[in-house]
Amino acid sequence: MTPFRRRLLALLTVLSVLLTACGGDDDDGATEDTTEDSDEGEGVRENDEEEAAGDDEPQYGGSITIGLEAETNGWLPGTSQPSNAGYTVYSAIYDPLVARVEDGSIEPYLAESIEPNEDYTRWSFTLREGITFHDGTDLTAEVIKRNWDEYLTAEGANTAGALEGITVEVTGPLAYDYVLEEGDAAFLDTLTGTAGYPFSVEAAEANGEDAGANPVGTGPFTFGSWTRDGQLVVNRNESYWRTDEAGNQLPYLDSITFRPIPDEDTRLDSVASGDIDVMQTLRQSIVRSARDLVDSGGYNSYEWLGNNGGAGIINTMKPPFDDKRVRQALVLAVDQEQMIEVLGGTGITPPQTQWFTQDSPWYSEAAADAWYEYDPEAAQALLDEYINDPERSDGQAPGTPISFTYDCPPDPSLVELSQAYQAFWQQAGLEVNLDSKEQSAHITQGIGTENDPFLRADYDVQCWRLGSQADPYSVWSSAFGPVESEVLNVSDWTHPDVTAKLEELRVEGDTDERKRIVEEISLILAEEVPNFWTGGTATAIVAREEVRGILGGVTPSGTPIDGASDAIVRTPYLWLAQ
């Protein structure tokens, strides 16, 4: 299997999840938490579990059922392809080596210490002592190496492409190094995915091809049973290594049942009827409906907004979109607020202006100010300038109108989105055709195919979803890296200044310097417009009010973890008020 094919198989799953979040009545619109809570729902509501919990102390016992947005293909890192739903299950069975905390930084979890060398080509880890897997085997540096060599980087592993050029060297019973061919100050991002969840090698070997259906980790719950597309049950790990801040043994619950319920309305109705106790959603309309459920009494909704945002991507290698005047005009011609209204996000999600939203440490006010407000006259002036340019890049005669196709999947809300874009652009004199392909074909069209040696995309303008909570270098080195090798450079856009600044960012460890570089890149992106935005992804965890601890959770060193982020339920801290 070629490196492209390995990466493509992994990316198709990831992008399918992202586009699912873009579909339905979803949010192709949201930025970070504005924490306003009015009758109009102006912005994301604050999550305040303390008022609901009162002075209650966590209680032991009881079982709950969590409704998930999707099933996962299996549970062994290297073959498992978890989305937000899968990582909720992961939080029960596995512990991570590292965890992203509230301020966006990454701290040790199963690791006790982490130390990079000066050029970030070697990352030295020391594991915590005395941690065992559910089968009684010890977590050691040798297990980490075998996970890496025999599973995560093995032929056919969906993690192999992302881990290419990284090896593991054991330096002691609990000590080992990740050795990188090229320094990377953002390397820890790599370990926030499945590559950072250790599993028992002995159990994986014993189960062979069925290892993905019989997961064995170090987490707060042990695997019980799994009926694919039906339910997965986990039971309390009586010998779990962690305690809460008061010294009480974790976890609190006896068991958890996870049920995939793909239909959003059905999942919310299941909570309302008491058929399940907790649900997750990435859908804008369901976030709004959940508010109504909370207002009726007996339920809590924990909302969160991250950097992942609804966007449009532009094929910058294809005339006329190789000219930034046309790209700028596309954005100036559209009223962002109206696009968010089309998708049901008004009052929940303000317009997005960049790859990072207001609560992110990488957010830039300067970049926000540089983004485009609705100005059809300015859009028309830029388009006229290009159309009448005798040297216009598309080779058409001066005065010839610009014609192009906008592509988006056939979900009803995305059809409305497409029609709204078409109307705005046509008002500016553009001739816009609409096309609609199912998600798999839509994704392939966006990222190109293996048969194309340049991986050039085959589209004009597409709806898409961009961004994540990852470090800016991790995000942008893929999004704007070399067209011939970076599958995620879906706009086929590079810029010499961005390339140079990414090299600075790759080896810069000082936070303030990194923020400066990120802002400089954000300003270039605002000027060059390789993509445009509607807004971010609003998510929510909805629970019966008896279910507590959803906002709980700290790293072993005591740093809070945002328990509602990405609608991933952190299971170690859940408890039931009796």
Side-chain angles (χ1 to χ4, degrees):
M1 183 179 287
T2 67
F4 173 84
R5 179 60 61 187
R6 284 200 303 269
R7 296 186 66 195
L8 179 58
L9 289 174
L11 287 167
L12 284 176
T13 298
V14 173
L15 290 171
S16 181
V17 170
L18 297 183
L19 285 168
T20 298
C22 180
D25 294 63
D26 197 11
D27 45 52
D28 239 25
T31 57
E32 284 280 2
D33 187 352
T34 60
T35 64
E36 291 287 336
D37 185 6
S38 67
D39 292 339
E40 290 76 26
E42 180 64 32
V44 174
R45 289 184 176 182
E46 283 192 16
N47 298 320
D48 188 357
E49 196 173 70
E50 292 182 5
E51 182 177 348
D55 296 326
D56 292 348
E57 293 294 327
Q59 301 176 33
Y60 286 98
S63 301
I64 65 170
T65 299
I66 299 176
L68 304 175
E69 66 166 353
E71 181 62 283
T72 300
N73 66 319
W75 306 105
L76 183 70
T79 59
S80 176
Q81 296 174 325
S83 63
N84 303 56
Y87 279 111
T88 291
V89 178
Y90 263 52
S91 78
I93 297 171
Y94 297 108
D95 289 312
L97 287 165
V98 298
R100 196 181 304 278
V101 297
E102 280 186 324
D103 68 359
S105 62
I106 296 174
E107 289 195 0
Y109 200 97
L110 281 176
E112 186 170 54
S113 66
I114 302 170
E115 187 66 39
N117 65 355
E118 188 173 345
D119 63 0
Y120 300 101
T121 57
R122 185 176 288 265
W123 292 75
S124 299
F125 275 57
T126 301
L127 299 169
R128 298 182 187 278
E129 294 184 2
I131 297 177
T132 59
F133 292 100
H134 300 153
D135 61 0
T137 59
D138 293 328
L139 173 65
T140 65
E142 185 61 34
V143 169
I144 299 294
K145 180 171 176 57
R146 291 191 63 190
N147 278 186
W148 198 267
D149 293 349
E150 299 174 26
Y151 294 89
L152 299 174
T153 61
E155 180 71 23
N158 59 29
T159 48
L163 306 182
E164 189 173 358
I166 305 170
T167 58
V168 172
E169 292 183 5
V170 174
T171 58
L174 297 175
Y176 67 96
D177 292 351
Y178 293 101
V179 183
L180 284 60
E181 290 182 351
E182 186 178 68
D184 184 358
F187 166 71
L188 293 182
D189 271 335
T190 303
L191 301 181
T192 61
T194 55
Y197 286 82
F199 56 91
S200 167
V201 176
E202 292 191 18
E205 282 186 331
N207 286 301
E209 293 183 357
D210 293 328
N214 296 277
V216 178
T218 65
F221 295 87
T222 62
F223 174 75
S225 62
W226 181 34
T227 302
R228 190 183 296 271
D229 297 316
Q231 66 178 31
L232 186 148
V233 179
V234 295
N235 302 305
R236 187 174 191 268
N237 178 6
E238 300 291 344
S239 58
Y240 188 49
W241 61 280
R242 286 209 61 189
T243 60
D244 64 17
E245 293 175 279
N248 301 309
Q249 181 69 39
L250 291 173
Y252 306 113
L253 293 173
D254 290 332
S255 67
I256 302 175
T257 298
F258 301 97
R259 284 177 50 195
I261 307 175
D263 184 79
E264 294 286 337
D265 291 318
T266 301
R267 200 178 327 126
L268 184 62
D269 290 343
S270 296
V271 171
S273 68
D275 188 41
I276 63 176
D277 304 289
V278 182
M279 65 159 282
Q280 59 171 187
T281 183
L282 284 76
R283 299 280 179 169
Q284 202 75 86
S285 62
I286 302 300
V287 172
R288 187 178 300 281
S289 297
R291 291 182 175 185
D292 295 336
L293 182 63
V294 170
D295 291 342
S296 72
Y299 302 89
N300 293 314
S301 179
Y302 305 91
E303 298 180 13
W304 186 84
L305 287 155
N307 294 326
N308 189 284
I313 55 173
I314 305 170
N315 191 344
T316 64
M317 281 190 172
K318 190 173 185 179
F321 304 111
D322 56 346
D323 192 305
K324 72 178 180 182
R325 293 174 295 182
V326 178
R327 302 195 298 267
Q328 290 170 343
L330 289 182
V331 183
L332 286 163
V334 174
D335 187 333
Q336 247 181 309
E337 294 280 10
Q338 288 195 34
M339 304 308 291
I340 291 172
E341 183 176 356
V342 167
L343 290 157
T346 301
I348 295 177
T349 55
Q352 188 156 333
T353 62
Q354 58 197 276
W355 286 69
F356 310 102
T357 45
Q358 286 130 330
D359 285 353
S360 170
W362 309 109
Y363 177 79
S364 164
E365 287 287 355
D369 292 341
W371 192 244
Y372 304 85
E373 295 184 2
Y374 178 46
D375 190 340
E377 292 183 359
Q380 189 66 66
L382 286 169
L383 290 173
D384 288 345
E385 184 180 321
Y386 177 85
I387 289 171
N388 295 314
D389 187 343
E391 297 183 359
R392 53 189 282 178
S393 60
D394 61 4
Q396 297 292 322
T400 305
I402 294 173
S403 178
F404 69 95
T405 299
Y406 178 76
D407 296 274
C408 208
D411 183 275
S413 69
L414 295 183
V415 171
E416 289 187 42
L417 177 80
S418 299
Q419 292 170 344
Y421 272 124
Q422 182 185 45
F424 277 117
W425 288 329
Q426 286 181 339
Q427 288 174 12
L430 295 161
E431 296 179 354
V432 185
N433 301 306
L434 300 181
D435 194 12
S436 183
K437 295 180 176 64
E438 295 297 333
Q439 282 193 16
S440 60
H442 180 82
I443 293 167
T444 300
Q445 181 173 289
I447 61 179
T449 68
E450 188 174 15
N451 293 328
D452 182 346
F454 299 104
L455 308 182
R456 288 181 177 172
D458 182 24
Y459 72 93
D460 295 331
V461 183
Q462 278 193 344
C463 68
W464 206 256
R465 186 162 291 284
L466 298 169
S468 75
Q469 298 308 108
D471 184 90
Y473 176 76
S474 300
V475 175
W476 283 337
S477 60
S478 294
F480 304 121
V483 172
E484 66 274 10
S485 60
E486 287 296 346
V487 178
L488 282 181
N489 188 343
V490 288
S491 290
D492 284 347
W493 182 84
T494 58
H495 191 284
D497 291 343
V498 170
T499 300
K501 291 181 186 301
L502 283 173
E503 276 301 294
E504 291 181 51
L505 197 60
R506 179 176 66 82
V507 294
E508 180 56 68
D510 181 77
T511 299
D512 289 338
E513 281 298 296
R514 290 176 67 79
K515 287 182 179 179
R516 176 189 62 78
I517 298 168
V518 168
E519 181 170 81
E520 290 174 351
I521 294 174
S522 294
L523 289 169
I524 295 172
L525 295 176
E527 168 68 20
E528 296 290 331
V529 200
N531 61 270
F532 55 91
W533 304 99
T534 48
T537 301
T539 71
I541 298 168
V542 185
R544 294 192 301 113
E545 63 181 9
E546 291 84 1
V547 180
R548 310 286 174 78
I550 285 175
L551 296 183
V554 296
T555 65
S557 63
T559 305
I561 298 171
D562 190 337
S565 60
D566 288 314
I568 298 171
V569 184
R570 272 68 178 182
T571 59
Y573 317 102
L574 300 178
W575 58 280
L576 274 173
Q578 304 298 326

Coordinates of all heavy atoms in Angstrom, one line a residue, residues 68-72 75 82-90 258 280 282 566-568:
L68 N -24.6 7.7 21.5 CA -23.5 8.1 20.7 C -24.0 8.5 19.3 O -25.0 7.9 18.8 CB -22.4 7.1 20.6 CG -21.8 6.6 21.9 CD1 -20.8 5.5 21.7 CD2 -21.2 7.8 22.7
E69 N -23.3 9.4 18.6 CA -23.8 9.8 17.3 C -23.5 8.8 16.2 O -24.0 8.8 15.1 CB -23.2 11.1 16.9 CG -21.7 11.1 16.8 CD -21.1 12.3 16.0 OE1 -22.0 13.1 15.6 OE2 -19.9 12.5 16.0
A70 N -22.5 7.8 16.5 CA -22.1 6.9 15.5 C -21.5 5.7 16.1 O -21.0 5.7 17.2 CB -21.2 7.5 14.5
E71 N -21.5 4.6 15.4 CA -20.7 3.4 15.8 C -19.2 3.6 15.3 O -19.0 4.4 14.4 CB -21.3 2.2 15.1 CG -20.6 0.8 15.5 CD -20.7 0.5 17.0 OE1 -19.9 1.1 17.7 OE2 -21.4 -0.3 17.4
T72 N -18.3 2.9 15.9 CA -16.9 2.9 15.6 C -16.6 1.5 15.0 O -17.1 0.5 15.5 CB -16.0 3.3 16.8 OG1 -16.4 4.6 17.2 CG2 -14.6 3.3 16.4
W75 N -11.9 -1.2 18.2 CA -11.4 -0.5 19.4 C -9.9 -0.7 19.6 O -9.4 -0.3 20.7 CB -12.2 -0.9 20.7 CG -13.7 -0.8 20.4 CD1 -14.6 -1.7 20.2 CD2 -14.4 0.5 20.3 NE1 -15.8 -1.2 19.9 CE2 -15.7 0.2 20.0 CE3 -14.0 1.8 20.5 CZ2 -16.7 1.1 19.9 CZ3 -15.0 2.8 20.3 CH2 -16.4 2.4 20.1
P82 N -11.9 6.1 15.5 CA -12.9 6.8 16.4 C -13.1 8.2 16.0 O -12.2 9.0 15.7 CB -12.3 6.7 17.8 CG -10.8 6.7 17.5 CD -10.6 6.0 16.2
S83 N -14.4 8.6 16.0 CA -14.7 10.0 15.9 C -15.0 10.5 17.3 O -14.5 9.9 18.3 CB -16.0 10.2 15.0 OG -17.1 9.5 15.6
N84 N -15.7 11.6 17.5 CA -16.1 12.0 18.9 C -16.7 10.9 19.7 O -16.5 10.8 20.9 CB -17.0 13.3 18.8 CG -16.4 14.4 18.0 OD1 -16.0 14.2 16.8 ND2 -16.3 15.6 18.6
A85 N -17.6 10.2 19.0 CA -18.3 9.1 19.7 C -17.3 8.0 20.1 O -17.4 7.5 21.3 CB -19.3 8.5 18.7
G86 N -16.4 7.7 19.3 CA -15.4 6.6 19.6 C -14.5 7.0 20.8 O -14.2 6.2 21.6
Y87 N -14.2 8.3 20.8 CA -13.3 8.8 21.9 C -14.0 8.8 23.3 O -13.4 8.7 24.3 CB -12.7 10.1 21.6 CG -11.5 10.0 20.7 CD1 -11.5 10.5 19.4 CD2 -10.3 9.4 21.1 CE1 -10.5 10.4 18.5 CE2 -9.2 9.3 20.2 CZ -9.3 9.7 18.9 OH -8.2 9.6 18.1
T88 N -15.3 8.9 23.2 CA -16.1 8.7 24.5 C -15.9 7.3 25.0 O -15.7 7.2 26.2 CB -17.6 9.1 24.2 OG1 -17.7 10.4 24.0 CG2 -18.4 8.7 25.5
V89 N -16.0 6.3 24.2 CA -15.8 5.0 24.6 C -14.3 4.8 25.0 O -14.0 4.1 26.0 CB -16.2 4.0 23.5 CG1 -15.9 2.5 23.9 CG2 -17.6 4.1 23.1
Y90 N -13.4 5.3 24.2 CA -12.0 5.3 24.6 C -11.7 5.8 26.0 O -10.9 5.2 26.7 CB -11.1 6.1 23.6 CG -10.5 5.4 22.5 CD1 -11.3 4.5 21.6 CD2 -9.2 5.5 22.2 CE1 -10.7 3.9 20.6 CE2 -8.6 4.8 21.1 CZ -9.3 4.0 20.3 OH -8.8 3.3 19.3
F258 N -23.0 2.0 26.2 CA -22.9 2.9 25.0 C -23.8 2.4 23.9 O -23.6 1.3 23.5 CB -21.5 3.1 24.6 CG -20.5 3.6 25.6 CD1 -19.7 2.7 26.3 CD2 -20.4 4.9 25.9 CE1 -18.8 3.1 27.3 CE2 -19.5 5.4 26.9 CZ -18.7 4.5 27.6
Q280 N -24.6 12.9 23.1 CA -23.8 13.9 22.5 C -24.4 14.3 21.2 O -25.1 13.6 20.5 CB -22.4 13.3 22.3 CG -22.4 12.1 21.4 CD -21.0 11.6 20.9 OE1 -20.9 10.7 20.1 NE2 -19.9 12.2 21.5
L282 N -23.4 17.1 17.7 CA -22.6 18.1 17.0 C -23.5 18.9 16.1 O -23.0 19.6 15.1 CB -21.4 17.5 16.2 CG -20.2 17.0 17.0 CD1 -20.5 15.7 17.7 CD2 -19.0 16.9 16.1
D566 N -15.7 19.1 22.5 CA -16.0 18.2 21.4 C -17.1 17.3 21.6 O -17.3 16.3 20.9 CB -14.7 17.5 20.9 CG -13.7 18.4 20.3 OD1 -14.1 19.2 19.4 OD2 -12.5 18.3 20.6
A567 N -17.9 17.5 22.6 CA -19.0 16.6 23.0 C -18.5 15.2 23.3 O -19.2 14.2 23.2 CB -20.1 16.5 21.9
I568 N -17.3 15.1 23.7 CA -16.7 13.8 24.2 C -16.9 13.7 25.7 O -16.5 14.6 26.5 CB -15.2 13.7 23.9 CG1 -15.0 13.8 22.4 CG2 -14.6 12.4 24.4 CD1 -13.5 13.9 22.0

